[in-house]
Amino acid sequence: MKRIFSGIQPTGNLHLGNYLGAIQNWVKLQKDYECLFCIVDLHAITVPQDPAALRSSIRQTAAAYIASGIDPKQSIIFQQSAVSGHSELGWLLSCLTPLGWLNRMTQFKEKAGKDKEKAALGLYAYPVLMAADILLYHATHVPVGEDQKQHLELARDIAGAFNRQYNTEYFKLPEPQILGQATRVMSLRNGTKKMSKSDASEFSRIHLSDDDDVIRGKIQKAKSDMEAGITYDLEKRPEASNLLTIMAAVQGKARGEVEAAYASSNFSQFKKDLADALIAHLAPIRSEMTRLLKDTAYLDKLLAENALKADAIAKANLKEIHKLIGFC
Ligand code: TYM
């Protein structure tokens, strides 16, 4: 059995990094795997969220999955909080995860900032919940962007810790799938920083909901450099390299091919073509998202039905886990 689990936090609008680093790969993989694509709202509340905004982001994320090409009849698109097994397995696994492992997580250090004492326990324990998400369904493969690599390594370590503690081979170690060219899409304002929802500048990222003019404006304002030609050099030309990678990923071409085509172009021509390519790719997704979001009853029903499917798998596995632990 080959089963995929992956998820995105419903916090604000999804951006090009989420799309190219995760969703675009999911669409390709769904033919060959049984897939669960989760809207990880329990993860979202590890930092404060406005309830109304969260509710709306959950639907937005579901709409983005479907509009991007995830087939809701084939894959299970669901909301994490609707399946209580995530929280439960999170607790069971937290009882055998050493603090030392969590102390190494770089994302916690970045998100907690200087004042770690004020960070919530949930933010610290977040990677354990992520391990639970994956292991609850015995997912064999986990397609994510590069920034999640450390969390996936921890999920494998936690699976191993469970097996050792209970003298079993119950959990198989899930395989990370960090696929495609755009595994780490960078900020449009700073080619050494990851494109992220939390960046204060709207101009650092392209949202799936951005209209054509906004996309064009953001690409025009994207940081560039003074070198001649558009060439790939991560060290010396991080911004040009990022834009080339985005172009290649959006067009489905090899990066070298795009680089050859623009080796003697200037930024103004390249940016115009990049904006055109992005608009051609994203406009149909945006209009499908808008259409889906008008039908909230459809989205809510779909999420509720899919949660039942996920819950059935989760409950059956938790029963076995309870036996191994000695609860029954
Ligand atoms: P999140 O919501 O931060 O991001 C969702 C997905 O988008 C990818 N991603 C990127 N890829 C390339 N370039 C970027 N700039 C970029 N920014 C984000 C992420 O790698 C991710 O694949 N902890 C996870 C969600 C999660 C999860 C899971 C994932 C919870 N449980 C179980 C897999 C399996 C997160 O916060 O992703």
Side-chain angles (χ1 to χ4, degrees), residues 5-11 14-23 26 38 40 43 65 80 86 107 111 126 129-134 142-149 151-152 182-187 193-197:
F5 181 97
S6 199
I8 298 185
Q9 294 191 53
T11 44
L14 299 198
H15 57 66
L16 197 61
N18 301 130
Y19 177 74
L20 296 177
I23 304 178
W26 302 354
C38 192
V40 291
H43 281 87
Y65 287 3
Q80 187 185 25
H86 290 260
Q107 191 168 309
K111 286 202 174 172
Y126 174 118
L129 180 61
M130 184 161 158
D133 297 339
I134 299 163
V142 186
V144 286
E146 206 180 271
D147 60 336
Q148 295 300 318
K149 198 170 163 208
H151 289 159
L152 287 186
T183 56
R184 190 172 177 84
V185 178
M186 308 309 275
S187 156
K193 248 175 81 183
K194 192 183 71 169
M195 182 178 286
S196 107
K197 286 176 196 158

Side-chain angles (χ1 to χ4, degrees), residues 22-143:
I23 304 178
Q24 200 182 39
N25 293 323
W26 302 354
V27 172
K28 292 184 194 137
L29 292 164
Q30 66 180 338
K31 288 189 282 317
D32 300 321
Y33 295 80
E34 182 189 339
C35 296
L36 293 115
F37 296 121
C38 192
I39 300 161
V40 291
D41 50 4
L42 295 174
H43 281 87
I45 61 158
T46 52
V47 293
Q49 302 293 338
D50 169 66
L54 179 62
R55 209 167 288 127
S56 134
S57 284
I58 289 165
R59 288 192 184 123
Q60 279 241 8
T61 308
Y65 287 3
I66 301 167
S68 303
I70 305 290
D71 178 356
K73 290 199 198 81
Q74 200 182 346
S75 299
I76 302 181
I77 297 176
F78 75 109
Q79 201 180 327
Q80 187 185 25
S81 60
V83 178
S84 59
H86 290 260
S87 306
E88 183 179 339
L89 186 57
W91 173 258
L92 302 176
L93 297 178
S94 74
C95 292
L96 46 82
T97 303
L99 292 186
W101 291 1
L102 292 177
N103 288 338
R104 287 203 292 269
M105 296 297 113
T106 52
Q107 191 168 309
F108 173 75
K109 289 180 196 154
E110 280 161 23
K111 286 202 174 172
K114 285 199 187 80
D115 202 351
K116 286 200 187 54
E117 297 293 310
K118 285 206 176 129
L121 172 61
L123 188 65
Y124 184 68
Y126 174 118
V128 184
L129 180 61
M130 184 161 158
D133 297 339
I134 299 163
L135 298 175
L136 184 59
Y137 301 97
H138 298 179
T140 54
H141 294 82
V142 186

